[in-house]
Amino acid sequence: MPMPMKKRTVVRIAFFALFSVLALCVLPEAVRGANRILPGLSPLLNLGGALGARRFIGLLWVPLLIVPLFKGRLFCWWVCPMGFAAETASRVSPSKLRLAKIPWVGKALALLIAASAGAGYPLLIWLDPLCIFNGFFAAWRQPVTWATATLSAGFFSILTLSLIIPNVWCHRLCPLGGLQEWLTHCARAFRGRGKGASAGDTASPCVNRRVFMGFAVSGAAGLAGSKTLGVRQTTVVRPPSAAETAFNALCSRCGNCMKACPYGLIVPDLGETGIDGLLTPVIKFRSKNPKQEKFCFQECTACTKVCPTGALHALSVEVKKSTPIGVAKIDKAKCIAWEKNEYCVVCQEYCPYQAVTEEERNGVQCPSIDESKCRGCGACESQCPALPIAVTITGDKAARNG
């Protein structure tokens, strides 16, 4: 017999509060990896990431594959924080619109994500509700800017939809809910106890022709995406250990890496990497963010420890020091030494990798970049006294070839 609604509400509020704390990334650095718990619960996200990155990620998501087989959408109705927010918006909605004529889009989305991930390029992985919830809290990190605030767009979109059509997200659109719905129906079909349905009906969610066609089409879409969209955009600077290929697909836009960065260097991309890269993390140093005076400290690996999908993978400090994220380039027309013939090697003084060398010109020592040593940390850019800034970091690999 189900528990009273009041008790269910108390349980949901408790989980909402717990996951909010995790999403805010306010935990001590020693346990910063706990920020992965919320997105780590999603089988769609983690299976999609593991298949797309071809790398083992974790096992937190396994219960959400098992529970629906016996208890249906227990997670949705009792635990999911995004679902609780959407349900609350639905309850206060004055709208009289109903769900009857809206198809179960979430099932199709679950199918698309799973099949395209198997093909190597997980499409629409960022629609996972746990990532949308996580991204909302990551958006309000300090300092808040209009760019970081865009991470909250998914959260507010779901609430708006729930106000217009009550319960539409949880009952029709959510891909994680769609996956659990598939598993619930398949378990009933396997046990032969579909409520009030014929054998053909109970089996249909698992084995019918449309499902096979959906897998085939979704897999083909994943293959097409890996060929046309899967090449890493190299003109931007990505966080350390970013996947060389399929980064835009693997990234869930959960905001964990942005929130984890102690220097506020990682921000959501707003178009530089194409439409499929929208809201993925990029590093912007001082030339693109005038108020930013920090750089990617050589011993900091915080962002690499909190990614739930494999778009970033954990690095040791030793490996981080030898992993380039970009390369410095000197614009001689802006450089004080090269252009004005005045002594200035501030970039050399601040470079932690000894990647800035001196080159004599007209009796003045001018800075040059040893690209074999440069890691693209941005220390030089953060301290360049020239205005406009003469030394900047680019993620373009071609820069290493001159």
Side-chain angles (χ1 to χ4, degrees):
M1 184 175 181
M3 296 173 68
M5 180 63 71
K6 185 176 181 180
K7 291 185 178 180
R8 186 172 80 94
T9 301
V10 171
V11 171
R12 300 199 77 178
I13 290 173
F15 275 116
F16 187 92
L18 171 63
F19 290 135
S20 297
V21 170
L22 292 175
L24 282 169
C25 295
V26 295
L27 297 174
E29 188 172 352
V31 290
R32 187 67 55 82
N35 298 329
R36 295 177 57 182
I37 290 177
L38 178 59
L41 291 173
S42 171
L44 265 184
L45 187 65
N46 287 271
L47 279 175
L51 291 171
R54 302 296 191 258
R55 183 187 304 121
F56 175 77
I57 295 176
L59 293 173
L60 279 174
W61 49 271
V62 172
L64 262 68
L65 284 183
I66 298 175
V67 169
L69 300 177
F70 302 95
K71 296 293 183 179
R73 294 179 63 182
L74 180 72
F75 178 84
C76 294
W77 312 137
W78 288 85
V79 180
C80 180
M82 189 67 253
F84 175 67
E87 184 179 295
T88 301
S90 298
R91 286 180 179 177
V92 302
S93 170
S95 174
K96 301 299 182 181
L97 294 176
R98 293 295 178 259
L99 300 173
K101 296 183 179 180
I102 300 176
W104 234 122
V105 177
K107 291 183 179 181
L109 288 174
L111 198 68
L112 173 65
I113 294 170
S116 61
Y121 198 83
L123 298 169
L124 305 183
I125 197 172
W126 41 269
L127 286 175
D128 185 276
L130 303 186
C131 284
I132 292 174
F133 179 86
N134 207 78
F136 167 74
F137 285 93
W140 309 112
R141 66 186 177 89
Q142 295 295 328
V144 177
T145 66
W146 68 273
T148 60
T150 57
L151 285 174
S152 64
F155 185 89
F156 287 118
S157 296
I158 290 175
L159 295 189
T160 301
L161 280 171
S162 299
L163 288 171
I164 297 172
I165 310 176
N167 300 310
V168 68
W169 172 255
C170 294
H171 292 267
R172 292 294 187 271
L173 303 180
C174 176
L176 181 56
L179 175 64
Q180 292 180 85
E181 196 75 20
W182 279 120
L183 293 170
T184 299
H185 282 298
C186 287
R188 288 176 179 171
F190 182 77
R191 293 193 298 265
R193 286 185 285 169
K195 291 184 179 180
S198 67
D201 290 335
T202 57
S204 61
C206 304
V207 298
N208 73 13
R209 183 182 303 173
R210 279 188 288 182
V211 173
F212 283 118
M213 287 296 295
F215 264 110
V217 171
S218 299
L223 285 173
S226 66
K227 300 297 182 182
T228 59
L229 303 173
V231 179
R232 178 180 170 184
Q233 301 287 340
T234 57
T235 56
V236 297
V237 180
R238 294 291 194 190
S241 78
E244 291 290 334
T245 58
F247 180 85
N248 290 345
L250 289 170
C251 177
S252 62
R253 282 73 165 173
C254 70
N256 268 0
C257 58
M258 302 177 198
K259 192 74 177 179
C261 179
Y263 313 114
L265 291 167
I266 307 176
V267 298
D269 173 57
L270 298 180
E272 289 184 76
T273 60
I275 190 169
D276 68 314
L278 195 64
L279 301 185
T280 56
V282 294
I283 292 179
K284 291 195 174 182
F285 297 111
R286 185 167 149 240
S287 63
K288 293 186 176 181
N289 185 3
K291 296 181 180 180
Q292 180 57 258
E293 296 183 354
K294 304 294 185 180
F295 65 96
C296 188
F297 185 57
Q298 61 269 30
E299 295 187 355
C300 178
T301 60
C303 65
T304 74
K305 297 177 180 178
V306 295
C307 179
T309 66
L312 306 177
H313 62 272
L315 294 179
S316 65
V317 172
E318 292 72 21
V319 174
K320 161 71 184 298
K321 290 180 178 179
S322 62
T323 302
I325 58 175
V327 64
K329 297 181 68 177
I330 295 176
D331 187 337
K332 295 181 179 179
K334 299 175 182 177
C335 178
I336 293 174
W338 284 101
E339 177 64 16
K340 298 182 178 181
N341 208 40
E342 299 175 6
Y343 180 78
C344 180
V345 285
V346 172
C347 50
Q348 183 186 57
E349 295 172 8
Y350 281 90
C351 178
Y353 297 102
Q354 291 78 52
V356 182
T357 61
E358 293 183 2
E359 181 179 334
E360 185 176 344
R361 176 179 177 275
N362 297 332
V364 174
Q365 297 298 320
C366 301
S368 294
I369 304 297
D370 183 345
E371 295 180 356
S372 66
K373 295 181 179 180
C374 181
R375 300 291 178 261
C377 71
C380 53
E381 181 174 326
S382 71
Q383 300 299 322
C384 178
L387 291 175
I389 297 171
V391 56
T392 56
I393 308 300
T394 175
D396 191 349
K397 293 179 181 178
R400 294 186 178 276
N401 300 321

